[in-house]
Amino acid sequence: MSTVGVILAAGSGSRTGLTIPKQFLKLGGKTVLEHSVQTFHDNKGIDEIVIVTAPEYMEQVKGLVQKNSWSKVTAILTGGKERYESSLAAVGHFSHAPETIMLFHDAARPLVSKRIIDDALKAMESFDAIDVAIPAVDTIVQCDSKGTCMTAIQDRSLLWHMQTPQGFRQKTIAEAYRIALKDARFNTTDDCGTVLRYLPEVKVGIVPGSKENIKLTYADDLSLLKFLLSKRER
Ligand code: CTP
Ligand code: MG
């Protein structure tokens, strides 16, 4: 049984307001994508890596694989318009190997650590699905769709912020999407959301994430990431 790191890098990064997708922005001398892939590559528990990207960035990603001599990268796959379509490209790629453990990671979280990947793999010994998450620090309020009025305040002690990696056995995530895609009301969500909704009998384990494992979302997140990276390297 093998373990695969799936690096999701097919997004356009529209919220940054920049023309280059955020996974190709530079952070301390290398791209955000390279940081993410390297941490998976360095981990002895990861046997194989696939990178999912947009067709127009295929050549660039191939170049990065060569430059870094990433021998564990076995495929560069074409993603889709929605994040779940990019995940599905990787799920389909391993349809011949249903016991494979797949860790899906946002390329845009370059500060994922060895500890997080180790803990995620360990948790996969007890669960068929896991998510890395951290407890909510702020009170979270539900609002109406226009964002003008509050509708409910949730109990903070039960709320967590989801990060990645999210881990699944291939057969679990494949089955969740097989059911989901037949549902006319399926709306795009992350992979854990699909398992929770369509395979409610599957327990999704929580793995402690970290405050550093932030997702580059807005352009100014880059300065925080640079600071966190410099602290890590000190
Ligand atoms: N992603 C992907 N395929 C998509 C959409 C997103 O592989 N169709 C990846 C992104 O490249 C990113 C991760 O999923 O590494 C998390 O998504 P998000 O932060 O939403 O990235 P983008 O969709 O690129 O950004 P935005 O939503 O601001 O456009
Ligand atoms: Mg997005």
Side-chain angles (χ1 to χ4, degrees):
M1 182 195 23
S2 71
T3 55
V4 179
V6 177
I7 309 297
L8 296 170
S12 62
S14 56
R15 282 171 288 177
T16 62
L18 304 172
T19 46
I20 305 176
K22 56 199 181 182
Q23 56 274 26
F24 299 110
L25 297 175
K26 281 280 177 72
L27 176 65
K30 49 185 185 178
T31 60
V32 167
L33 173 67
E34 285 173 280
H35 284 282
S36 300
V37 176
Q38 194 64 53
T39 305
F40 276 77
H41 202 270
D42 290 343
N43 195 300
K44 291 196 172 64
I46 297 291
D47 301 317
E48 199 174 326
I49 295 170
V50 299
I51 303 173
V52 186
T53 197
E56 58 273 32
Y57 288 96
M58 245 338 149
E59 286 308 312
Q60 190 165 337
V61 173
K62 270 187 203 160
L64 292 176
V65 172
Q66 279 171 1
K67 174 188 147 206
N68 291 284
S69 309
W70 285 326
S71 54
K72 290 185 186 176
V73 175
T74 53
I76 305 169
L77 307 172
T78 304
K81 205 166 116 328
E82 301 291 341
R83 186 185 182 281
Y84 83 91
E85 295 173 309
S86 300
S87 297
L88 266 176
V91 173
H93 187 72
F94 289 95
S95 58
H96 62 284
E99 297 300 329
T100 303
I101 289 171
M102 305 181 73
L103 293 190
F104 292 80
H105 184 64
D106 294 334
R109 293 185 191 272
L111 297 187
V112 62
S113 63
K114 173 179 182 328
R115 195 277 299 159
I116 289 177
I117 297 172
D118 286 347
D119 287 357
L121 290 174
K122 180 97 192 114
M124 286 305 297
E125 293 170 13
S126 320
F127 292 97
D128 286 330
I130 59 102
D131 185 27
V132 168
I134 55 171
V137 284
D138 295 320
T139 299
I140 306 231
V141 61
Q142 194 175 315
C143 296
D144 59 22
S145 59
K146 293 201 178 94
T148 39
C149 290
M150 290 188 184
T151 52
I153 292 189
Q154 309 291 342
D155 177 357
R156 181 169 57 77
S157 68
L158 302 177
L159 298 175
W160 294 61
H161 293 283
M162 293 170 79
Q163 299 185 337
T164 66
Q166 297 190 346
F168 313 91
R169 241 164 248 287
Q170 192 278 346
K171 63 185 179 192
T172 307
I173 189 70
E175 177 64 3
Y177 276 114
R178 192 187 64 78
I179 304 169
L181 293 176
K182 285 199 290 198
D183 179 0
R185 288 165 311 167
F186 171 66
N187 51 13
T188 81
T189 168
D190 67 290
D191 305 315
C192 275
T194 305
V195 171
L196 268 185
R197 174 140 182 219
Y198 294 99
L199 294 178
E201 68 282 10
V202 171
K203 278 200 160 51
V204 182
I206 295 275
V207 173
S210 80
K211 271 161 73 179
E212 285 194 350
N213 187 25
I214 57 167
K215 180 160 65 80
L216 170 53
T217 302
Y218 298 104
D220 59 5
D221 293 334
L222 210 51
S223 24
L224 174 58
L225 280 166
K226 280 181 184 154
F227 170 72
L228 291 170
L229 182 67
S230 68
K231 239 178 54 173
R232 180 189 262 198
E233 284 169 350
R234 240 179 270 150

